[in-house]
Amino acid sequence: MFKPRTAEDKLLLSTVRIETDRCTATGFFFGLHIGDNDVLITSRHAIQGSSSGSLRIHNEAWQQEQDDAPPTFDLEFQDFENLWIKHPDKSIDLVALPSKVIDDAAAKIGRSAHWMTIESCMVPKATRLKALTTIEDVFVVGYPKGPWDKCHNLPIHCQGTTATHPDIDFCGQPQLLVNMACLPGLSGSPVFVLNAKGYADENGNIHPGETRNILLGVVHAATTIGADGQIAARAASAPLGSGEESTVPLTYIVKSRELLGFADVIHKQQPAASVH
């Protein structure tokens, strides 16, 4: 049984594999603290147009080492797209699913869900973003369409570096680029700066032993290059247009501050959400 010991380990239990009748994607549990109800976050394009979908969930009974309890269970949903709350800004590629929906669906089949929550305090304030350097190591956790640990329902992690300064909105949009290939299935994956053993600040000062855990954002789009040499952003779960189109190891990330935009709309739609 997987028992998380570090902050990095816990992140492996914050993510969920999402399968729809259209594509595969990743979601993660985020704590908005609106009625103490977490939300599952993913990319809007990943669930758009889907009539059915499923979530693979960690089983609380298995975590508690109850006899004969399976490690995971699947929750199947119809009218899948309409379960999700769209970001109030239609240009932002994010949706949220209140965890009460998951708890209620699990209860109907006699199960109880288990997850770790990425807290809103990991969303960096402006001063913390300014303190980051142009090149930071980044860490992405998700479920690619191919390689993932099916036996334990655990995601894989990918590492790269920022390709644009985290404090600057790339092309005037709430996004940044990271140097990393965007594999199919990583749509909706959380992206972090995780410095568990220390880091160097913008002035070159070394902070040994100090942790710095920041949620930078959410995987949004892959970068592709066509036969004509044109480079473009393509929704991370969308298939390549032709055999002559290929991906470039640059991934677009929606900045994490946009997650806070769900607070008001979720408060209005879920005023009496239950505690998980």
Side-chain angles (χ1 to χ4, degrees):
M1 179 181 299
F2 176 67
K3 294 289 187 182
R5 295 178 294 107
T6 66
E8 293 88 344
D9 285 348
K10 291 178 180 179
L11 293 178
L12 299 182
L13 296 180
S14 69
T15 54
V16 170
R17 182 177 175 85
I18 301 171
E19 294 189 8
T20 77
D21 50 349
R22 294 181 57 255
C23 68
T24 300
T26 299
F28 65 94
F29 287 100
F30 183 69
L32 274 172
H33 305 295
I34 304 298
D36 292 330
N37 191 38
D38 296 336
V39 291
L40 184 66
I41 298 291
T42 194
S43 299
R44 185 184 68 246
H45 76 261
I47 59 95
Q48 197 163 26
S50 59
S51 59
S52 62
S54 67
L55 308 176
R56 177 156 292 184
I57 303 293
H58 293 285
N59 189 356
E60 176 68 25
W62 185 76
Q63 291 291 325
Q64 299 299 326
E65 300 183 350
Q66 296 180 17
D67 292 341
D68 300 324
T72 65
F73 58 89
D74 291 334
L75 294 178
E76 306 285 343
F77 298 93
Q78 298 300 316
D79 198 23
F80 194 55
E81 179 182 4
N82 290 328
L83 293 175
W84 298 78
I85 298 171
K86 311 308 191 285
H87 194 282
D89 183 341
K90 295 181 180 179
S91 70
I92 303 300
D93 187 23
L94 292 173
V95 289
L97 181 70
S99 61
K100 187 177 186 303
V101 175
I102 295 171
D103 281 334
D104 289 349
K108 288 181 179 179
I109 60 172
R111 303 291 189 190
S112 182
H114 174 82
W115 65 78
M116 299 289 183
T117 303
I118 298 171
E119 302 293 352
S120 57
C121 62
M122 289 186 69
V123 175
K125 297 185 181 299
T127 53
R128 204 174 192 195
L129 272 181
K130 290 182 184 299
L132 295 177
T133 63
T134 300
I135 302 176
E136 296 281 354
D137 293 328
V138 295
F139 176 88
V140 176
V141 183
Y143 294 89
K145 191 173 182 179
W148 63 287
D149 189 342
K150 301 176 179 64
C151 294
H152 304 95
N153 191 33
L154 293 177
I156 68 168
H157 70 269
C158 306
Q159 289 182 289
T161 61
T162 51
T164 60
H165 197 295
D167 186 43
I168 298 173
D169 286 356
F170 183 67
C171 290
Q173 300 298 316
Q175 61 186 4
L176 70 149
L177 293 178
V178 297
N179 290 302
M180 183 184 301
C182 186
L183 301 173
L186 289 182
S187 293
S189 297
V191 184
F192 305 92
V193 171
L194 294 178
N195 303 123
K197 300 178 181 178
Y199 62 94
D201 63 25
E202 73 274 22
N203 297 316
N205 300 313
I206 305 298
H207 300 265
E210 292 187 30
T211 61
R212 186 176 62 167
N213 298 332
I214 297 172
L215 176 63
L216 270 187
V218 184
V219 172
H220 157 57
T223 304
T224 63
I225 182 169
D228 58 359
Q230 294 296 311
I231 295 178
R234 178 182 293 277
S237 64
L240 294 178
S242 70
E244 296 181 340
E245 187 179 32
S246 59
T247 58
V248 176
L250 283 173
T251 298
Y252 285 75
I253 308 300
V254 177
K255 287 192 170 181
S256 60
R257 70 172 188 252
E258 296 301 325
L259 294 170
L260 304 180
F262 284 110
D264 286 343
V265 65
I266 289 176
H267 179 70
K268 293 175 182 177
Q269 295 190 23
Q270 302 287 332
S274 64
V275 177
H276 170 70

